[in-house]
Amino acid sequence: MIRHHFTVDVEEHFQVSAFDGVVDRSTWPMQPSRVRNSIARLLDMLDRSNAKGTFFVLGWIAEQHPGVVVSIARAGHEIASHGWDHRRIPVQRPDEFRSSVRRTKHQLEALVGAPVTGFRAPSFSIVPGYEWAFDVLLEEGYRYDSSLFPIRRPGGYGYPDAPQDPHWIDRPSGRLLEIPPMTIRQFGVSIPAGGGAYFRLFPYGITRAAFHECERRNAAGTFYVHPWEIDPDQPRIRASWHARFRHYTGLRRTAPRLERLLHEFQFASIADTLVPA
């Protein structure tokens, strides 16, 4: 059977892009932390299913909660970078982005004692016009990226012309493997089917069908989830109706659906499936 990619974007419930401008970064240390318990629950789910995954960790989380990162690594999962403080790529200068991915890489490697070679941009925010980010990643020692969402969608992310399966990106700085989140083609349109809010809001059958379609192509599908998505009792943040709908709807469905998914498919970390350039 194909081993698909199970990935987790390790961030707190108040750090999502939907709450930018609502929860100031200066208040993050004072916000109620929920990540430790949610990660412990995810690790238990994966252990019971004999599954491995890749955890894209914010540098800020690693600094504030080093024990969380160590617990993930000790359970046999891959640690990768999600940048330092969940800033989307278009709001950063190249030098700021370099500082973020370098600082995060060093922080994570110091905790787990192993190379960190993967990166995922917050909100999949490497979008057309910001390909310079690939060169920075290569120059900072990363081997693969998982930031290109091959869909057409407003709201600051989406790279509609990207291939839907893992592929190589050739840049002046070298060659980077791209691991896009899973999509499925319906009526000539790419539908996001790889996790997140789509896993909570869309019928479960869409995700299952996408995995089966990947298997017919002999390709690994990449699924993602956030720790706060299995925490329906998290504090509610005052934000726009749209932000609250996207963030809070379906939270009680996530864990049961994850259990079902882990039973139906086999999962590995991205590192376990990497091939040489």
Side-chain angles (χ1 to χ4, degrees), residues 44-51 258-259 262-263 265:
D44 181 61
M45 284 185 187
L46 291 166
D47 181 63
R48 285 188 279 107
S49 300
N50 195 30
L258 282 180
E259 299 277 11
L262 290 165
H263 176 73
F265 299 96

Side-chain angles (χ1 to χ4, degrees), residues 28 147 267:
W28 282 3
S147 304
F267 290 96

Side-chain angles (χ1 to χ4, degrees), residues 90-122:
V91 304
Q92 299 182 72
R93 299 188 310 267
D95 63 308
E96 292 174 321
F97 178 63
R98 185 182 300 277
S99 176
S100 171
V101 297
R102 177 182 293 176
R103 184 183 179 192
T104 303
K105 193 175 195 293
H106 289 172
Q107 181 80 19
L108 294 172
E109 289 178 342
L111 285 173
V112 302
V116 169
T117 60
F119 173 78
R120 174 175 288 159

